[in-house]
Amino acid sequence: MNAHASTAKGAAGHQRLVLDEQAIGAAAKSLDEGAVTPSYGPWRDDVLKLLNDALATELVCVLRYKRHYFTANGVSSPKIAEEFLVHANAESGHADRIAERIVQLGGEPDFDPTHLLDRSHASYDESTELQAMVRANLVAERIAVETYRQMIALIGDKDPTTRRMLKDILSDEEEHADELKDWLGH
């Protein structure tokens, strides 16, 4: 339940869900804000920063996976390189979803390459050995999993749409980590 909805005692003594009519009325104003209603409160700027940092992380991951895709070599490299490309494309999709959400919230997605590494939670990697590439990507996926878990907890019910998107992305990142773990030692 958001901060504006409440419960009240009904005639039979049980809790009833009651909407905050004042918040609904306020939502009808400031049409230039699009989907962002006053109930987003003071958290919107914090959510935008979290999302821009996540965007940077996803973009760095795309670049790392692409480099590994093109430079992987060894007996197992064709199958692992193919997996790197699949992950790069998934991370690119995550970046697109995050950038779209930033815009929906009235923010500016920061794609500036000079800022990416400073804001990214994961590192870029220039490994040349296949298992080192797998390890570097597994580390980055584990960092992403932890980062998204923390973001989901921080956002809580302050922004249910962003929370739902982050849960979807978290599920993908967990799947990537499991797949990479399976490639260790091949």
Side-chain angles (χ1 to χ4, degrees), residues 11 16 19-20 28 52 67-68 70 81-82 101 105 136 141 171 173 186:
R16 293 187 40 187
L19 295 178
D20 181 343
N52 260 313
R67 182 184 193 286
H68 291 171
F70 286 109
E82 184 179 304
R101 184 65 184 148
L105 291 172
E141 293 293 355
S171 178
E173 303 296 7
H186 281 102

Side-chain angles (χ1 to χ4, degrees), residues 94-152:
H94 297 162
D96 291 349
R97 290 181 70 191
I98 292 168
E100 181 179 37
R101 184 65 184 148
I102 290 168
V103 171
Q104 286 174 340
L105 291 172
E108 296 280 332
D110 187 351
F111 284 92
D112 186 337
T114 60
H115 301 158
L116 292 181
L117 284 174
D118 291 337
R119 292 188 348 265
S120 176
H121 301 287
S123 301
Y124 183 75
D125 179 74
E126 295 182 353
S127 296
T128 56
E129 192 269 317
L130 193 58
Q131 284 299 299
M133 291 177 186
V134 172
R135 273 190 298 282
N137 287 310
L138 179 54
V139 165
E141 293 293 355
R142 288 176 51 83
I143 288 169
V145 165
E146 181 60 25
T147 301
Y148 284 122
R149 283 183 186 280
Q150 289 187 28
M151 288 174 67
I152 290 163

Side-chain angles (χ1 to χ4, degrees), residues 5-45:
S6 62
T7 58
K9 291 280 187 188
H14 68 281
Q15 295 290 328
R16 293 187 40 187
L17 300 177
V18 180
L19 295 178
D20 181 343
E21 295 297 329
Q22 186 176 8
I24 292 170
K29 298 177 174 102
S30 301
L31 299 181
D32 59 326
E33 293 289 321
V36 180
T37 64
S39 67
Y40 279 86
W43 305 287
R44 184 172 68 164
D45 290 341

Side-chain angles (χ1 to χ4, degrees), residues 61-83:
C61 288
V62 169
L63 296 173
R64 185 188 58 256
Y65 273 125
K66 285 283 195 164
R67 182 184 193 286
H68 291 171
Y69 167 71
F70 286 109
T71 61
N73 58 51
V75 175
S76 301
S77 67
K79 286 194 175 283
I80 295 176
E82 184 179 304
E83 195 67 30

